[in-house]
Amino acid sequence: MRRAIFPGSFDPVTNGHLDIIQRGCKLFDEIIVAILVNPEKTGFFSLDERSEILTEVLRTIDRGDCKVSVESFAGLLVQYAADRESHAIVRGIRAISDYEYELQMALMNRRLQPRLETVFMMPAEEYSYVSSRLVKEVFHLGAPIDGLVPPLVEERMRKKK
Ligand code: PNS
């Protein structure tokens, strides 16, 4: 039973995140999508909203036999991963610019918890420029975001606007 944690802010979840979860499902039996609780940052969606949206959209994707659940965590990621008896952390890498930040985190996490591996996965090319930050930016400026996020996310963003 191989379990991985896919941590992030998911504010909001994008099609790129879903693509990585589906790819991760080819490698792991279980993936816990873990939303970071960050009391210093108020997001577009609240933690509860993000969790609810993620749970809903995960029902719509093909996951094979892989179990995918949604949780939230505060504090150190490696501690949370250990508490969940997880074998790996999954992170998506879109471009070289992501790699530098991700490598730094992966190496720090390895120093803190040498037995925990970080697995970098590349999303489909069509999502290689998609980020939650840019989705929010173009949405606020009135541009369409269909194809970048699941329809439910777009609907919920419109309601909140
Ligand atoms: O989606 P994001 O915002 O890029 O995700 C960043 C995340 C949640 C993976 C990172 O901020 C994190 O792991 N935070 C938990 C605190 C922690 O363990 N910090 C040390 C990381 S080396």
Side-chain angles (χ1 to χ4, degrees), residues 62-80:
D62 186 11
R63 290 162 287 149
D65 291 333
C66 177
K67 181 174 177 234
V68 183
S69 55
V70 179
E71 294 189 2
S72 58
F73 77 103
L76 269 184
L77 174 60
V78 291
Q79 185 55 54
Y80 168 73

Side-chain angles (χ1 to χ4, degrees), residues 7-10 17 36 41 73 75-78 91 101-102 104-106 108-109 112:
S9 307
F10 304 103
H17 291 128
L36 173 70
K41 231 168 103 180
F73 77 103
L76 269 184
L77 174 60
V78 291
R91 291 286 287 172
Y101 168 62
E102 295 296 335
Q104 226 180 349
M105 282 206 296
M108 179 61 84
N109 285 335
L112 298 172

Side-chain angles (χ1 to χ4, degrees), residues 68-145:
V68 183
S69 55
V70 179
E71 294 189 2
S72 58
F73 77 103
L76 269 184
L77 174 60
V78 291
Q79 185 55 54
Y80 168 73
D83 293 346
R84 289 289 174 273
E85 297 177 347
S86 171
H87 302 92
I89 293 168
V90 168
R91 291 286 287 172
I93 298 244
R94 292 159 299 193
I96 295 292
S97 48
D98 280 345
Y99 180 72
E100 291 184 21
Y101 168 62
E102 295 296 335
L103 178 68
Q104 226 180 349
M105 282 206 296
L107 294 180
M108 179 61 84
N109 285 335
R110 182 188 281 168
R111 180 194 160 94
L112 298 172
Q113 182 54 263
R115 276 175 304 173
L116 185 68
E117 293 296 336
T118 296
V119 176
F120 292 153
M121 302 199 77
M122 284 78 66
E125 295 95 284
E126 63 201 279
Y127 304 129
S128 60
Y129 61 91
V130 179
S131 70
S132 301
R133 183 182 63 79
L134 273 186
V135 164
K136 283 182 284 194
E137 185 172 322
V138 298
F139 172 79
H140 286 307
L141 295 170
I145 54 167

Side-chain angles (χ1 to χ4, degrees), residues 4-64:
I5 306 282
F6 181 41
S9 307
F10 304 103
D11 186 34
V13 59
T14 67
N15 285 343
H17 291 128
L18 297 181
D19 182 87
I20 294 293
I21 293 168
Q22 284 179 296
R23 287 173 199 282
C25 276
K26 295 182 195 166
L27 302 181
F28 297 98
D29 303 301
E30 182 179 351
I31 296 184
I32 302 175
V33 181
I35 311 170
L36 173 70
V37 180
N38 188 350
E40 281 144 39
K41 231 168 103 180
T42 43
F44 181 76
F45 287 116
S46 70
L47 190 64
D48 284 349
E49 286 171 324
R50 277 181 253 175
S51 171
E52 185 207 318
I53 292 169
L54 260 166
T55 307
E56 200 59 47
V57 298
L58 285 171
R59 285 205 191 107
T60 66
I61 65 166
D62 186 11
R63 290 162 287 149

